[in-house]
Structure formats: structure tokens, C-alpha cells
Amino acid sequence: MTVQDPSSLNPDGDDNDFDPSNPPPFKIAEIRAAIPKHCWVKNPWRSLTYVLRDVLVVFTLAASALFFNSCLFWPIYWISQGTMFWAIFVLGHDCGHGSFSDSSFLNNVMGHFLHSSILVPYHGWRISHRTHHQNHGNVEKDESWVPLPEKIYKSLDLRTRVMRFTMPLPMFAYPFYLWTRSPGKEGSHFNPYSELFSPSERKAVLTSTLCWLMMVVLLLSSCYIFGHLQVLKVYGVPYAIFVMWLDIVTYLHHHGHDRKLPWYRGEEWSYLRGGLTTVDRDYGIFNNIHHDIGTHVIHHLFPQIPHYHLVEATKAAKSVLGKYYREPKKSGAFPFHLLDSLVRSITEDHYVSDYGEIVYYQTDPAMYKLSKAKIL
């Protein structure tokens, strides 16, 4: 085993006597046993109620914006609707995990309805997201916001480095990721023959791509009927806000903790150790709106648990997790405290070593100076 010295990377970290990269003294079965049995029960009617709630809010917001049609109201609408698009994504995310209901048919129907409406190819995303969960914390196999090995990082041209490590540019990355994935990985979430998918999954991926195309056609038709500007105001700007929400939240669940967290390779990686490197976050008033997605550690270990049981399941599991659970910093009404963590991590966490089975993010000094200059 080769490991970087975490103490040298975390001179000001809390609990310096505790090394989060060490194998935990408990097994995943112990965590599972601590969670009340009813937390595993999926209630399709309750899930559908959340869908109904969110869809009603989306249409109410759109109707209000069109009714008032005021330069004072539009910015409020854009932020609110973009947030609701993100809430819609989270419900589709539950469908992808099978935590929406026990019916795969209902999960797939609702998943296509929810994700296609916000231009996400449901099965293409579902399959790559499954890969992310199965390999969380694994440098070589993880799929979402995976660290770049030093060799790949140094092969990137300056433009790509700026796009990836200079705020706020990475917060608009998701549509590009769907088409091309991350540096060092090939394939598209829209292409049934992408290396992301097995031959048995191609038909499902094609179905989702066709649903995505139907939404694109609907938007283009709306541009022809109502005008490009109107569609941009009602759908385009909220979509951009949604993308920012998605990139910020998914990034912060795996990066930006006050003390750097490990990433693994080879025999040092396990499903449990990888899951324990995820981070819970408090989003203030948005916790309920986006369905408690901030309770991310237990979600990663047990994605079958419905979102409405995650908070209770997390509380029950803390006695087992001990120091391996990092209590999220409490938020005010709005989670402004997370911006510092986001900016700091984006500008400092550039790559991991090509060698070693337990590694930590390292900083490229030249890129750090450039990123800070562009932010300022």
C-alpha cells in the first residue's frame, strides 16, 4: 500500500489524531441494522405526492411570471424555477435508484417524465450514476467529479484547465458532461453504443435519447410559436440555474470538506470506505425543497432508502459511524457558507498522484494563481 501523508495536507485540520482513510472498525451490515426497518419502505403514493407538489409549483411559477411580466419579478422567477427544476431532477434521481417505488415500470415512466422535462436522458444518466454509486471514492472507476490523475491533468491544455478550475465556469459543466464525460473518459450519455453501456442496455438508452429529443422538439416548436425570447425567459434561464444547482450540490457532496478526504485505488478501496468519503451538507430553507438530498452519506451507502426517510436514517446511523460521519456545518436560511468551500476546493483541488492506493487532492500553483486572479 502507498499513501500520501494526510497530516502534511491538513496542518490545520480537526481531530488530527483521526485518519479518515483508515478502514472503519465497523461493517456496512452494522450501519444497516441501526436504521429502522420502516426507513426502507417505499411508498409510491407518497412519492407521487411530491411529484404533484413540484409540478404544481413549476406551473404556478410560470403562470405568475407570464401574468406579471415584470422586470422586477423575472429574476425572482428564474431563481425559484431553476430551484424547482433541480427538485424535479432529485425526484427523477429517486426513480433511477428505485427508491421512488418498488415498481420498475412506475420508476421508469416517472423518471422519463421528470428528467426529459429538464433535458436529462433518463436511462443514460441512470446507468452512469449507478456506476458512480458502485465505485464512489475510486480514482479509476468513479464517474461523477472524479479526480484527474496527475498525468491526465498535465496533458490538458490551458483552456480546458481554466474551464474546469476557474469559478464559475465548472458550475455549467453538466450539459457538456452528458455529451462528452470527463477528461480521460470517452462516451456520451445519448449514444446507445457508448462504452458507458452494455449491449443489453442499448434499447433503454435509445428510448431515453428519443424522449430527450421530443423535449427538444417541443422547445423549438415553442420558440416558433411564442418567440425565442419568451422561451429563454420561461425555460432557458431557469434551466441554467438548475444546471448550477446540480453542479454545485453534486460537487460539494464529494469535495470541499475543511479537511481533505481520501480517494482510493486498488485493494485499499471498498464500497464502505468510498461511501464514507461523501459529505453531508445543510442547505437551509432548500433542504425540504430539494428533498433532503444533502443527507448524502447514507444515501450513498444505501441508495434504496427513499429521500423522505434519509434524515431519520442518518440520525440512527450516527452511533455506528462515529468520527467517520462529518456533521454538516449548520446553515442560515440561505447556504451562503457553502460558497467558500466551493470556491476554495475548485481553485485548490486539481489532481491526485498517479501512484498510491490512498491519495489526496494536490494543487497546481500556477493554476491556483490564475484561478484566483480570474475570480478577483
Side-chain angles (χ1 to χ4, degrees), residues 295-357:
T295 48
H296 211 66
V297 177
I298 290 301
H299 164 67
H300 250 272
L301 292 174
F302 307 109
Q304 312 91 335
I305 296 179
H307 74 264
Y308 41 83
H309 290 317
L310 285 173
V311 172
E312 181 182 0
T314 297
K315 289 179 180 178
K318 286 182 184 179
S319 61
V320 178
L321 296 174
K323 288 188 176 182
Y324 285 87
Y325 178 77
R326 290 162 289 278
E327 195 75 39
K329 186 178 295 184
K330 294 299 180 184
S331 174
F334 297 95
F336 295 126
H337 69 289
L338 294 176
L339 294 177
D340 178 67
S341 299
L342 178 69
V343 173
R344 172 174 49 81
S345 181
I346 288 286
T347 55
E348 293 180 359
D349 298 341
H350 296 141
Y351 61 87
V352 295
S353 173
D354 293 325
Y355 307 100
E357 294 183 335

Side-chain angles (χ1 to χ4, degrees), residues 5-14 16 258-261 360:
D5 178 11
S7 62
S8 67
L9 296 168
N10 303 282
D12 300 318
D14 299 326
N16 284 325
D258 292 341
R259 182 175 183 179
K260 289 186 184 296
L261 297 176
Y360 293 80

Side-chain angles (χ1 to χ4, degrees), residues 111-125:
H112 277 101
F113 167 69
L114 294 165
H115 273 190
S116 298
S117 68
I118 49 175
L119 295 177
V120 176
Y122 172 67
H123 280 306
W125 164 84

Side-chain angles (χ1 to χ4, degrees), residues 124-338:
W125 164 84
R126 177 186 63 79
I127 294 166
S128 74
H129 190 67
R130 179 189 65 197
T131 300
H132 164 54
H133 268 259
Q134 291 174 340
N135 300 280
H136 45 213
N138 189 313
V139 174
E140 297 168 339
K141 298 179 181 180
D142 202 345
E143 178 63 29
S144 178
W145 291 113
V146 61
L148 297 179
E150 184 174 5
K151 183 177 180 180
I152 293 178
Y153 173 81
K154 291 186 175 180
S155 72
L156 302 179
D157 57 45
L158 181 60
R159 177 175 173 273
T160 302
R161 294 188 195 183
V162 169
M163 292 291 291
R164 189 174 175 89
F165 299 107
T166 304
M167 286 292 291
L169 299 177
M171 299 303 101
F172 296 96
Y174 188 66
F176 302 97
Y177 162 73
L178 289 177
W179 283 103
T180 63
R181 297 175 75 194
S182 303
K185 297 178 180 289
E186 296 181 356
S188 167
H189 289 75
F190 299 93
N191 181 3
Y193 292 90
S194 167
E195 65 179 32
L196 275 166
F197 315 119
S198 67
S200 64
E201 295 167 333
R202 288 171 183 167
K203 184 177 179 180
V205 174
L206 179 60
T207 299
S208 297
T209 299
L210 291 174
C211 289
W212 180 88
L213 283 172
M214 289 172 61
M215 185 62 191
V216 171
V217 171
L218 177 61
L219 290 172
L220 292 176
S221 301
S222 299
C223 289
Y224 179 78
I225 297 170
F226 303 108
H228 293 79
L229 181 59
Q230 194 77 312
V231 174
L232 177 66
K233 289 161 63 179
V234 173
Y235 186 91
V237 178
Y239 174 77
I241 300 293
F242 149 67
V243 168
M244 291 181 65
W245 263 116
L246 189 153
D247 281 324
I248 290 170
V249 170
T250 55
Y251 185 90
L252 285 174
H253 286 162
H254 301 275
H255 305 77
H257 191 259
D258 292 341
R259 182 175 183 179
K260 289 186 184 296
L261 297 176
W263 290 79
Y264 301 98
R265 289 190 179 98
E267 293 183 358
E268 287 297 322
W269 180 86
S270 72
Y271 181 84
L272 177 57
R273 292 174 80 179
L276 293 176
T277 64
T278 60
V279 182
D280 277 13
R281 300 290 187 179
D282 184 359
Y283 296 99
I285 64 170
F286 299 104
N287 287 329
N288 179 265
I289 294 172
H290 65 203
H291 309 293
D292 290 314
I293 194 64
T295 48
H296 211 66
V297 177
I298 290 301
H299 164 67
H300 250 272
L301 292 174
F302 307 109
Q304 312 91 335
I305 296 179
H307 74 264
Y308 41 83
H309 290 317
L310 285 173
V311 172
E312 181 182 0
T314 297
K315 289 179 180 178
K318 286 182 184 179
S319 61
V320 178
L321 296 174
K323 288 188 176 182
Y324 285 87
Y325 178 77
R326 290 162 289 278
E327 195 75 39
K329 186 178 295 184
K330 294 299 180 184
S331 174
F334 297 95
F336 295 126
H337 69 289
L338 294 176

Side-chain angles (χ1 to χ4, degrees), residues 13-19 22 259 323:
D14 299 326
D15 297 325
N16 284 325
D17 59 329
F18 171 68
D19 183 358
N22 284 335
R259 182 175 183 179
K323 288 188 176 182

